[in-house]
Amino acid sequence: MPEIKVTPLGAGQDVGRSCILVSIAGKNVMLDCGMHMGYNDDRRFPDFSYITQNGRLTDFLDCVIISHFHLDHCGALPYFSEMVGYDGPIYMTHPTKAICPILLEDYRKITVDKKGETNFFTSQMIKDCMKKVVAVHLHQTVQVDEELEIKAYYAGHVLGAAMFQIKVGCESVVYTGDYNMTPDRHLGAAWIDKCRPDLLITESTYATTIRDSKRCRERDFLKKVHETVERGGKVLIPVFALGRAQELCILLETFWERMNLKAPIYFSTGLTEKANHYYKLFITWTNQKIRKTFVQRNMFEFKHIKAFDRAFADNPGPMVVFATPGMLHAGQSLQIFRKWAGNEKNMVIMPGYCVQGTVGHKILSGQRKLEMEGRQILEVKMQVEYMSFSAHADAKGIMQLIRQAEPSNVLLVHGEAKKMEFLKQKIEQEF
Amino acid sequence: LFQYCLSGHPTLPCNVLKFKSTTIMLDCGLDMTSTLNFLPLPLVQSPRLSKLPGWVLKDGSTFLDKELKECSGHVFVDSVPEFCLPETELLDLSTVDVILISNYHCMMALPYITEYTGFTGTVYATEPTVQIGRLLMEELVNSIERVPKAQSASMWKNKEVQRLLPAPLKDAVEVSMWRKCYTMPEVNAALSKIQLVGYSQKIELFGAVQVTPLSSGYALGSSNWIIQSHYEKVSYVSGSSLLTTHPQPMDQAALKNSDVLILTGLTQIPTANPDGMVGEFCSNLAMTVRNGGNVLVPCYPSGVIYDLLECLYQYIDSAGLSNVPFYFISPVANSSLEFSQIFAEWLCHNKQTKVYLPEPPFPHAELIQTNKLKHYPSIHGDFSNDFKQPCVVFTGHPSLRFGDVVHFMELWGKSSLNTVIFTEPDFSYLDALAPYQPLAMKCVYCPIDTRLNFIQVSKLLKEVQPLHVVCPEQYTQPPPTQSHRTDLMIDCQPPAMSYRRAEVLTLPYKRRYEKIEIMPDLADSLVPLEIKPGISLATVSAVLHTKDNKHVLQLPPKPPQPPASKKRKRVSDDVPECKSLKPLLSGSIPMDQFVQTLEKHGFSDVKVEDTAKGHIVLLQEAETLIQLEEDSTHIICDNDEPLRVKLRDLVLKFLQKF
């Protein structure tokens, strides 16, 4: 029987710094190279010494595959390739290749310029790292060498996200990265053919959740935003610049239009317009409906949503602000949060998962007194809402993917240990 | 391996390949040169065209004067234009399993095939091919349907009548097969049968054959195809380019080691250099406009027009043309310009890099933003308000028989200030212009065909080294108008096999091997025996399991277990026992020693006769003979079983068992 060895260098039973080493028929492939948002020390990057203690990365690894542009999947890439040293090929899809360096640069700026850290990767390193990237098409069979081939499948989740099949001879592994089995307002659903891999490595962020229908969640979200705005409160929605932000913008834009609302909606940072431009140029990666109508009306040109200026946060009256980053761990979203947290009329809506150690995670777990930098205590009186808009597959979706691909073995990663145990039992029951 | 050739047009091919158990159609191009025999379809009634005299036969009979009109010595059919379809009778097209499309120009006959022949298979094409192909079809249908023509001429098609007509109508082929344009519902139905594929995607057909599209460098999403099984490889090269224009470069390496390479879609203007033509295009355009004239560019709504706009983008300021309006008029103009910007993954490296910034890959976005380029769905509506002269108009159709180009030809044809510049190579410009004669307008011919020329082909063939080359017959001889140019043909060894319309070729390749997988547990049970140094053999007893055209050798089912109790044994007595396997024998029998052995065992009077295939050993006393041949041994004796067994054992002594 084929022997396939899987070594998690980052997220095994954890979310953040995804990095998995797969050895299959003598080939070594590294899947993702992420960072952990909850740490500021060595633990933020995967542990590459597992490989480097025996020699150079380039000699050991046949290739590196990046599933999508989220930093917990690609944030350690310049550190890995330029500081630890790797010169082999790095594969990712075209949109990921386009967007990933921008997010890396953003991350670098926050870490180095704002927090003043040294010994971090530089802008030049990001550029040099991206030169090693080979962009792949969906479904293209890429021959890495004579024996090793990889193939990308559409994964939903964020623009350009892909699942990868890694194949040597008749042995194969499928790595899902993060994926979403239900189409949303701007992306399609993940899809894979019946490729019957020996092993399926799937994320399991929402292992125990069977989420209620998308429509209900959207209605809930709109109701909460609407109520808060009606009573004169301010709504803060921490998001990452690309991904969920675009979906929620489309949602609010159409709602504002329909209800004829006047309260201003803002989107922080200059990335917005640029981000929307990426969606426009890579429209073939979005869902059917947007692709069909893009010539007549581009869904990513917003009428009601305007650029945010720092001074607006102190304006009186209601408003809705999308601010980055999404876990309230730094930057503009955290600044606005500090300003608005004391007023019970205001609301913060966390539309995605927050990793341990971030402010987002703390308030979601019920903490109302936060210790900020300089031993300052911040009391949170504003309402805190969590809405799972992040586009991960839920338990039902994971089962569906297993049914599609028909793997002989399933490995759960990128989730919390207890939840994974539950899903494990469920999979064993059903298959 | 058979090839059915359904089209005679070398750049609009349609071939069907029978390979293993699959039937694969390669492209379905629509020959539109037939429309040149028809009168143009003007959007607004043209007094000139409607006054053309009817054609009268030499003997003075006028029965065709309603159908045929004469213009400057040429005769045209006054009817809705018709197209020359691929052959539909050469084989039953409902048996076609898949259709592989190589580029958007080569799919224009698709609705005729998928909607009228009982086709039930799948069509494979890349996303840009489908999207732009749809635009081309939409434009075609739109420009013909919006000018309803009462008359549908058919009398002239009668064989007896056609014989009497002047050339080229007299020589037109298969006129009875010519068909009117399809409708939008048919286009939508046809396109719904397409499955999208990406470059280098391996697509399994029934487990028997694998097909793979490769970038061909000619147009957005254009592809060549590899059709292969485990031991055979056919490459289909159609419309490829090595020039750096906007599409992703051609993938040549993957064409290597082909048994057969089918070569179609070479440049139609082998003597023209595309770069030079673009230069001439720009200078003629500038000169006309500077003199106060208008420029008309008959073109398709996608393809070379993107490159022309890019050249003009760089050229207009330096040539002082920044105030001249550029109009692009087509029902799909807007869609075409928008679509071109979203196929980043299918573009050349430079354009891809722009998208990463993110900036639109084509500069026509800026031309539109700065109002230098304006696009309109037709000459009606907004265009008539905005229209300023002198100007440059890009519009279709390049045949000059339908579309808004007809209007501009009638409008501008009378003034020598204006110029029509032909850039599309698909139609002879003189034939295209014939129904507009006499013309005062200047005509400039700058055909831009980026497809492979013969020098590039011979280089390519040297590089990829196919065992056999198959191509349309036009490529195996110099062009008829330049018969001395022996460099304008394919030169390869062995000489290329040529095909013509309605021919069936047996491709010079025989299948000899098939791949069989062996299960690990079966492989484990094999005991190889070295019969010669370095060569080991093992017998394999297995069950051959064939499913989805995949063959697997599995362990044979185990003989039934000996039953535990006596009672059951009786039942199992009825079950025939599994035959124990006979050993395999090999070797040859040395006659002298065999005879000696026989004699030793008491046979006397042994006689040996030589035969053509071996020997016969006669045992006269026992009235028995032993026939020894290369691949068989027979012992023929009269019902004496002990004797046969004895002789058999003596033969076996000389043979190796395993």
Side-chain angles (χ1 to χ4, degrees):
Chain A
M1 280 314 281
E3 193 179 292
I4 297 169
K5 198 170 141 197
V6 179
T7 318
L9 302 182
Q13 301 190 334
D14 183 13
V15 176
R17 60 165 193 173
S18 283
C19 187
I20 297 167
L21 186 63
V22 170
S23 304
I24 168 170
K27 302 282 169 187
N28 299 308
V29 178
M30 194 165 93
L31 304 169
D32 280 334
C33 190
M35 46 89 59
H36 200 297
M37 310 252 189
Y39 300 117
N40 286 323
D41 51 23
D42 284 351
R43 287 173 296 174
R44 73 175 147 214
F45 292 140
D47 182 11
F48 299 117
S49 65
Y50 178 84
I51 304 172
T52 48
Q53 63 190 355
N54 297 319
R56 292 176 57 226
L57 289 170
T58 315
D59 299 334
F60 180 77
L61 291 171
D62 292 284
C63 75
V64 174
I65 294 172
I66 302 294
S67 64
H68 63 284
F69 62 64
H70 276 158
L71 290 174
D72 59 331
H73 291 260
C74 70
L77 204 54
Y79 168 77
F80 161 80
S81 75
E82 306 310 306
M83 296 174 79
V84 185
Y86 169 75
D87 298 320
I90 302 168
Y91 295 97
M92 54 179 82
T93 66
H94 284 270
T96 308
K97 186 181 172 188
I99 295 165
C100 161
I102 293 171
L103 297 187
L104 287 171
E105 181 58 31
D106 236 37
Y107 171 44
R108 191 198 65 80
K109 268 191 198 144
I110 289 178
T111 320
V112 178
D113 300 353
K114 293 226 170 111
K115 293 192 191 158
E117 280 189 47
T118 50
N119 192 24
F120 203 72
F121 54 75
T122 62
S123 295
Q124 189 56 43
M125 285 178 183
I126 298 176
K127 280 184 194 136
D128 292 341
C129 165
M130 292 314 290
K131 281 183 196 144
K132 297 171 185 170
V133 171
V134 181
V136 300
H137 285 253
L138 279 184
H139 302 161
Q140 171 189 9
T141 303
V142 179
Q143 213 73 44
V144 177
D145 59 33
E146 292 272 290
E147 289 122 19
L148 174 62
E149 58 180 52
I150 61 171
K151 180 177 177 182
Y153 293 93
Y154 190 76
H157 187 62
V158 288
L159 195 74
M163 309 188 277
F164 279 88
Q165 182 193 45
I166 300 109
K167 200 170 165 192
V168 183
C170 52
E171 294 169 27
S172 68
V173 174
V174 168
Y175 171 64
T176 65
D178 293 354
Y179 63 103
N180 185 13
M181 294 300 284
T182 44
D184 63 28
R185 270 173 195 271
H186 74 301
L187 297 174
W191 178 86
I192 194 162
D193 53 13
K194 212 183 278 304
C195 55
R196 299 199 174 95
D198 297 298
L199 176 65
L200 172 75
I201 305 175
T202 171
E203 65 135 334
S204 51
T205 321
Y206 290 126
T208 54
T209 333
I210 305 273
R211 285 178 298 170
D212 42 4
S213 87
K214 188 97 191 174
R215 215 160 268 255
C216 287
R217 264 179 290 146
E218 288 178 358
R219 206 162 35 213
D220 231 31
F221 168 79
L222 292 172
K223 200 174 137 210
K224 278 177 182 149
V225 173
H226 193 193
E227 280 169 6
T228 310
V229 172
E230 286 286 275
R231 66 167 179 260
K234 296 178 168 64
V235 183
L236 171 65
I237 309 170
V239 287
F240 287 100
L242 287 129
R244 223 35 46 204
Q246 277 69 28
E247 186 185 3
L248 295 178
C249 283
I250 292 175
L251 192 63
L252 278 189
E253 168 89 9
T254 39
F255 187 71
W256 248 238
E257 182 92 33
R258 199 174 70 223
M259 305 293 286
N260 199 17
L261 298 180
K262 293 283 177 273
I265 309 176
Y266 298 113
F267 198 121
S268 82
T269 77
L271 205 55
T272 339
E273 219 171 304
K274 214 170 169 186
N276 291 337
H277 214 98
Y278 279 114
Y279 277 83
K280 226 183 131 179
L281 293 172
F282 285 110
I283 215 136
T284 54
W285 286 77
T286 60
N287 70 25
Q288 276 278 325
K289 200 183 146 200
I290 295 183
R291 279 159 53 179
K292 270 211 167 128
T293 55
F294 93 102
V295 176
Q296 290 80 38
R297 176 163 188 268
N298 197 313
M299 291 289 266
F300 298 104
E301 270 158 23
F302 302 117
K303 260 202 328 219
H304 296 271
I305 302 170
K306 297 182 183 75
F308 183 72
D309 186 287
R310 197 172 295 203
F312 293 174
D314 298 321
N315 283 1
M319 68 173 82
V320 181
V321 176
F322 289 95
T324 54
M327 300 188 195
L328 286 179
H329 58 280
Q332 200 153 33
S333 62
L334 189 59
Q335 281 173 14
I336 300 172
F337 175 75
R338 281 175 156 186
K339 278 194 176 152
W340 294 358
N343 190 339
E344 59 276 355
K345 271 208 296 193
N346 298 340
M347 179 184 281
V348 58
I349 300 179
M350 307 296 299
Y353 186 89
C354 292
V355 300
Q356 259 180 10
T358 60
V359 173
H361 189 265
K362 284 177 191 155
I363 58 169
L364 280 183
S365 50
Q367 227 174 302
R368 286 297 172 264
K369 286 204 168 118
L370 301 172
E371 192 179 329
M372 307 306 280
E373 283 156 47
R375 300 237 171 130
Q376 229 184 321
I377 300 290
L378 180 70
E379 201 171 339
V380 182
K381 288 188 185 152
M382 77 196 297
Q383 294 176 59
V384 178
E385 293 287 344
Y386 172 68
M387 291 214 171
S388 142
F389 269 104
S390 59
H392 291 275
D394 60 2
K396 213 168 115 196
I398 296 170
M399 304 297 264
Q400 205 181 330
L401 187 84
I402 295 173
R403 220 164 287 132
Q404 268 184 17
E406 289 193 0
S408 350
N409 299 284
V410 176
L411 178 70
L412 302 177
V413 294
H414 197 277
E416 287 163 33
K418 268 189 212 151
K419 294 181 178 174
M420 282 160 68
E421 188 56 39
F422 170 82
L423 183 65
K424 180 183 163 209
Q425 284 169 10
K426 211 165 142 39
I427 293 170
E428 280 167 353
Q429 265 170 31
E430 197 152 321
F431 296 99
Chain B
L1 197 54
F2 292 103
Q3 181 182 339
Y4 295 75
C5 313
L6 310 187
S7 161
H9 197 299
T11 36
L12 296 167
C14 182
N15 291 299
V16 174
L17 200 64
K18 289 215 175 193
F19 183 42
K20 284 183 92 174
S21 48
T22 57
T23 306
I24 303 170
M25 180 180 277
L26 305 171
D27 279 331
C28 44
L30 183 63
D31 187 349
M32 294 201 228
T33 50
S34 57
T35 60
L36 292 175
N37 295 299
F38 292 78
L39 274 187
L41 283 182
L43 186 55
V44 192
Q45 220 212 354
S46 147
R48 184 187 69 86
L49 285 173
S50 49
K51 272 187 213 138
L52 288 178
W55 184 70
V56 183
L57 265 73
K58 272 192 202 120
D59 62 5
S61 49
T62 58
F63 68 100
L64 281 168
D65 70 347
K66 288 264 169 345
E67 290 198 353
L68 302 180
K69 305 282 173 185
E70 198 170 340
C71 176
S72 305
H74 287 85
V75 175
F76 297 95
V77 182
D78 186 12
S79 175
V80 188
E82 295 179 335
F83 308 117
C84 179
L85 268 56
E87 286 292 326
T88 49
E89 307 290 319
L90 196 60
L91 83 162
D92 180 359
L93 291 179
S94 69
T95 62
V96 171
D97 297 310
V98 295
I99 303 179
L100 309 180
I101 304 291
S102 55
N103 64 66
Y104 46 76
H105 285 298
C106 291
M107 63 185 281
M108 296 300 280
L110 196 61
Y112 295 116
I113 306 289
T114 59
E115 305 312 301
Y116 289 102
T117 62
F119 173 79
T120 54
T122 311
V123 185
Y124 291 99
T126 63
E127 183 164 7
T129 300
V130 177
Q131 299 294 5
I132 297 172
R134 176 193 295 276
L135 297 182
L136 291 183
M137 290 179 177
E138 245 180 77
E139 190 195 56
L140 185 67
V141 172
N142 183 293
S143 51
I144 288 180
E145 279 185 354
R146 68 180 182 166
V147 197
K149 191 138 186 154
Q151 177 163 278
S152 176
S154 58
M155 222 189 314
W156 70 275
K157 289 186 183 178
N158 184 307
K159 274 212 172 94
E160 291 306 306
V161 178
Q162 199 197 351
R163 215 162 38 85
L164 305 171
L165 304 180
L169 276 176
K170 186 171 67 177
D171 309 316
V173 289
E174 310 267 8
V175 290
S176 60
M177 303 267 299
W178 289 13
R179 288 286 172 275
K180 287 197 192 103
C181 189
Y182 33 73
T183 62
M184 263 335 270
E186 285 163 355
V187 169
N188 290 328
L191 296 181
S192 72
K193 298 181 171 84
I194 299 183
Q195 198 170 319
L196 299 183
V197 294
Y199 288 149
S200 305
Q201 179 178 348
K202 294 176 178 172
I203 304 140
E204 289 282 336
L205 304 183
F206 317 107
V209 178
Q210 196 181 58
V211 296
T212 310
L214 305 172
S215 178
S216 78
Y218 165 57
L220 271 175
S222 71
S223 24
N224 293 321
W225 289 85
I226 301 286
I227 301 128
Q228 62 187 342
S229 64
H230 292 295
Y231 294 100
E232 301 88 20
K233 177 170 173 181
V234 177
S235 294
Y236 174 58
V237 174
S238 163
S240 300
S241 177
L242 292 170
L243 292 179
T244 316
T245 58
H246 58 274
Q248 213 181 92
M250 177 181 179
D251 181 351
Q252 296 182 66
L255 299 172
K256 279 185 185 163
N257 303 320
S258 303
D259 298 303
V260 175
L261 186 140
I262 303 170
L263 185 63
T264 67
L266 304 186
T267 175
Q268 302 187 73
I269 322 287
T271 48
N273 165 12
D275 282 333
M277 287 294 137
V278 171
E280 239 173 83
F281 168 81
C282 288
S283 59
N284 275 296
L285 185 144
M287 201 149 59
T288 305
V289 176
R290 269 191 220 117
N291 294 335
N294 300 293
V295 176
L296 179 62
V297 187
C299 61
Y300 294 113
S302 178
V304 176
I305 184 169
Y306 302 145
D307 299 316
L308 290 179
L309 289 175
E310 185 155 5
C311 289
L312 290 172
Y313 168 79
Q314 293 156 357
Y315 181 74
I316 46 179
D317 287 330
S318 63
L321 300 175
S322 8
N323 294 320
V324 178
F326 287 76
Y327 301 118
F328 176 18
I329 305 169
S330 159
V332 298
N334 186 24
S335 299
S336 166
L337 293 171
E338 289 287 339
F339 270 112
S340 66
Q341 306 286 20
I342 65 158
F343 292 124
E345 292 155 272
W346 310 86
L347 294 173
C348 63
H349 182 75
N350 275 344
K351 297 223 174 304
Q352 261 177 23
T353 320
K354 281 189 102 179
V355 174
Y356 291 166
L357 289 179
E359 275 171 26
F362 285 97
H364 54 240
E366 204 187 313
L367 287 176
I368 295 169
Q369 235 169 31
T370 53
N371 260 330
K372 284 177 182 155
L373 173 67
K374 292 181 179 185
H375 54 83
Y376 302 89
S378 84
I379 50 172
H380 286 309
D382 291 344
F383 175 71
S384 41
N385 302 328
D386 299 353
F387 183 43
K388 278 192 198 74
Q389 303 189 70
C391 64
V392 179
V393 169
F394 293 88
T395 189
H397 186 271
S399 66
L400 304 190
R401 291 304 179 270
F402 42 86
D404 289 316
V405 74
V406 176
H407 175 80
F408 289 100
M409 282 304 294
E410 294 288 334
L411 185 71
W412 291 343
K414 296 168 211 89
S415 164
S416 61
L417 282 179
N418 302 327
T419 307
V420 53
I421 309 182
F422 291 88
T423 54
E424 302 286 356
D426 287 354
F427 301 92
S428 140
Y429 80 106
L430 290 174
D431 291 345
L433 289 171
Y436 298 94
Q437 297 294 1
L439 266 181
M441 185 183 206
K442 277 199 290 291
C443 305
V444 178
Y445 184 53
C446 304
I448 298 166
D449 196 331
T450 58
R451 286 172 280 207
L452 297 177
N453 62 35
F454 290 99
I455 299 167
Q456 292 165 327
V457 165
S458 76
K459 232 172 146 185
L460 174 75
L461 291 180
K462 264 188 205 124
E463 185 94 12
V464 305
Q465 301 259 342
L467 286 183
H468 303 280
V469 176
V470 178
C471 67
E473 61 173 352
Q474 289 92 332
Y475 296 160
T476 56
Q477 61 220 16
T481 49
Q482 292 156 294
S483 49
H484 62 286
R485 293 288 300 266
T486 48
D487 55 325
L488 301 183
M489 57 185 274
I490 289 179
D491 177 27
C492 64
Q493 277 310 323
M497 276 184 87
S498 72
Y499 68 80
R500 62 173 75 184
R501 190 180 166 105
E503 207 171 26
V504 182
L505 290 188
T506 307
L507 298 187
Y509 194 75
K510 279 219 164 62
R511 295 185 48 229
R512 266 179 275 186
Y513 298 102
E514 188 61 84
K515 189 172 175 176
I516 298 180
E517 261 178 53
I518 183 161
M519 294 304 283
D521 42 0
L522 176 63
D524 252 1
S525 71
L526 299 184
V527 188
L529 241 149
E530 191 163 60
I531 53 156
K532 256 191 222 169
I535 297 177
S536 295
L537 290 180
T539 57
V540 182
S541 306
V543 173
L544 178 63
H545 185 85
T546 297
K547 188 185 167 190
D548 297 339
N549 287 312
K550 297 253 184 285
H551 313 291
V552 181
L553 283 178
Q554 295 174 337
L555 272 182
K558 289 200 178 103
Q561 291 291 313
S565 73
K566 281 187 174 173
K567 211 176 182 182
R568 280 194 194 149
K569 194 174 182 180
R570 219 166 286 155
V571 182
S572 72
D573 279 347
D574 300 338
V575 180
E577 251 180 57
C578 244
K579 275 185 192 165
S580 62
L581 297 161
K582 283 183 186 163
L584 294 179
L585 305 169
S586 69
S588 58
I589 296 170
M591 287 318 295
D592 291 349
Q593 288 171 36
F594 184 55
V595 172
Q596 282 169 21
T597 312
L598 286 172
E599 284 167 348
K600 229 183 262 171
H601 284 80
F603 296 100
S604 52
D605 205 6
V606 179
K607 250 190 184 172
V608 179
E609 282 175 21
D610 288 352
T611 66
K613 288 180 185 170
H615 309 278
I616 293 178
V617 181
L618 282 167
L619 307 176
Q620 286 177 328
E621 198 178 326
E623 288 183 26
T624 295
L625 65 149
I626 305 170
Q627 223 172 45
L628 296 164
E629 285 174 5
E630 201 177 341
D631 51 359
S632 68
T633 304
H634 292 280
I635 299 169
I636 303 165
C637 60
D638 196 18
N639 241 345
D640 189 345
E641 184 62 11
L643 175 65
R644 190 192 70 83
V645 171
K646 190 175 173 186
L647 288 171
R648 181 198 71 187
D649 291 343
L650 290 178
V651 172
L652 287 184
K653 275 189 181 171
F654 290 92
L655 296 177
Q656 282 176 304
K657 277 175 226 165
F658 67 98

